Amino acid sequence: MIPYLHGTVYNDRMQRSQRHKMIITAVETGPKTVENLAALTGASAITVRRDLAELSECGILQRIRGGAAPLPSRGAQYPFALRQTEHAGVKQALAEAAATLVKPGDAVLIDNGTTALAVASQLAGLGITALALSLHAAAALASKPGNQVIVPGGPISYDDLSFAADSAEQSIRQMRFDYAFIGSCAAQPDSGLTVADWSEAQTKKTILTSTLHPVLVATADKFERTAAHRFASLGDMDTLITTADTPSSALAEARICGLTLITVTVPKDNARQQLTGTNPLSIKSAVMDSAEC
């Protein structure tokens, strides 16, 4: 029989990404034993130990004898693959809406991040010139023939494969874009558009100086949190693409600022498909703490 824990169904076949989110959330509140985490997730102790090893290697938590504990300083991002699964159906719908703005021959910038990657996938083969700020986005744009895909030079970061700020900014300054699809870790209306990393904020500021139509593509949860470094206000955007359930205050500000507002309605089953078998309240807390971009 499948056990019920806190009103939610768990079993050993729980998706790896879902299980990782639960472990991260639990460990952030204090040290947990392997037995604690196995009971929480319904996974075997062997599976939990493997999960802890992976998360420790990514710098999300630290291993201790018999379990795991929070890192001395919090705020590390989730691994890219884990962030990519978060709201995957919603990001797909947003990306499809974003792609309708672009026509063959346009010059386009694709920001770093999982939502921007979804947009890049939709633009494959369209016949555009595109500057990709990560290798993930570049590969998606070049997955079909037709696009001229450009990447900055220089080193790339581990995991999200984004280019270093200096080389990215130099490439951005040398081009002019019809559209730039920009991501933001947070977009709480009173705080503006913010990210967790200072250098990333400077890169996004540079994007705005080289773009005719800057487009913010963001899931609804981004408008309920803030991050450390501000790079723009919502009014600095030309277009906002988000979901219909985005807080009314954010939608009202977009209208007041004169933005082109595109909202998509995602079926509830699609929007929550990545959360099946997890505790939604725990996942929301974990995602807000991670400043996922």
Side-chain angles (χ1 to χ4, degrees), residues 124-208:
L126 187 59
I128 60 175
T129 297
L131 176 66
L133 299 189
S134 76
L135 288 182
H136 287 298
L141 287 162
S143 62
K144 298 178 183 178
N147 291 340
Q148 181 183 28
V149 182
I150 302 166
V151 296
I156 58 172
S157 64
Y158 169 74
D159 191 38
D160 69 358
L161 305 185
S162 61
F163 289 89
D166 289 346
S167 58
E169 290 169 26
Q170 182 178 358
S171 296
I172 293 165
R173 293 190 185 100
Q174 292 174 349
M175 296 182 67
R176 292 295 179 267
F177 305 99
D178 297 295
Y179 292 95
F181 294 99
I182 300 171
S184 182
C185 295
Q188 204 276 339
D190 291 337
S191 301
L193 309 184
T194 55
V195 291
D197 183 77
W198 181 87
S199 61
E200 185 178 358
Q202 308 316 303
T203 299
K204 293 180 189 293
K205 289 178 181 179
T206 304
I207 293 172
L208 296 178

Side-chain angles (χ1 to χ4, degrees), residues 193 214 230 232-238 253-254 257-259:
L193 309 184
R230 187 176 187 273
S233 67
L234 189 57
D236 292 320
M237 299 294 108
D238 178 81
E253 181 175 348
C257 293
L259 273 65

Side-chain angles (χ1 to χ4, degrees), residues 24-270:
I24 292 167
T25 305
V27 172
E28 281 183 340
T29 66
K32 296 291 183 295
T33 66
V34 169
E35 289 73 20
N36 294 152
L37 298 172
L40 176 67
T41 62
S44 68
I46 293 175
T47 298
V48 169
R49 289 190 183 94
R50 183 172 63 245
D51 290 340
L52 294 181
E54 293 175 2
L55 294 171
S56 175
E57 184 178 348
C58 291
I60 305 300
L61 48 74
Q62 61 179 335
R63 292 296 308 275
I64 59 174
R65 184 178 179 84
L71 291 171
S73 60
R74 295 178 60 184
Q77 286 189 353
Y78 285 178
F80 187 88
L82 185 57
R83 289 185 280 136
Q84 195 173 6
T85 67
E86 190 68 41
H87 306 306
V90 177
K91 292 174 183 177
Q92 173 75 13
L94 294 175
E96 290 172 0
T100 64
L101 299 175
V102 182
K103 62 183 183 299
D106 281 347
V108 176
L109 179 142
I110 301 294
D111 198 3
N112 179 44
T114 57
T115 305
L117 174 57
V119 176
S121 297
Q122 291 297 313
L123 298 177
L126 187 59
I128 60 175
T129 297
L131 176 66
L133 299 189
S134 76
L135 288 182
H136 287 298
L141 287 162
S143 62
K144 298 178 183 178
N147 291 340
Q148 181 183 28
V149 182
I150 302 166
V151 296
I156 58 172
S157 64
Y158 169 74
D159 191 38
D160 69 358
L161 305 185
S162 61
F163 289 89
D166 289 346
S167 58
E169 290 169 26
Q170 182 178 358
S171 296
I172 293 165
R173 293 190 185 100
Q174 292 174 349
M175 296 182 67
R176 292 295 179 267
F177 305 99
D178 297 295
Y179 292 95
F181 294 99
I182 300 171
S184 182
C185 295
Q188 204 276 339
D190 291 337
S191 301
L193 309 184
T194 55
V195 291
D197 183 77
W198 181 87
S199 61
E200 185 178 358
Q202 308 316 303
T203 299
K204 293 180 189 293
K205 289 178 181 179
T206 304
I207 293 172
L208 296 178
T209 67
S210 297
T211 302
L212 184 61
H213 300 293
V215 181
L216 177 67
V217 187
T219 52
D221 58 302
K222 300 292 182 71
F223 296 93
E224 298 178 334
R225 63 180 188 239
T226 62
H229 303 286
R230 187 176 187 273
F231 67 88
S233 67
L234 189 57
D236 292 320
M237 299 294 108
D238 178 81
T239 302
L240 169 62
I241 302 176
T242 188
T243 52
D245 62 345
T246 289
S248 58
S249 59
L251 298 179
E253 181 175 348
R255 294 187 180 99
I256 291 171
C257 293
L259 273 65
T260 297
L261 178 60
I262 301 173
T263 59
V264 300
T265 300
V266 181
K268 289 184 178 181
D269 289 344
N270 192 8

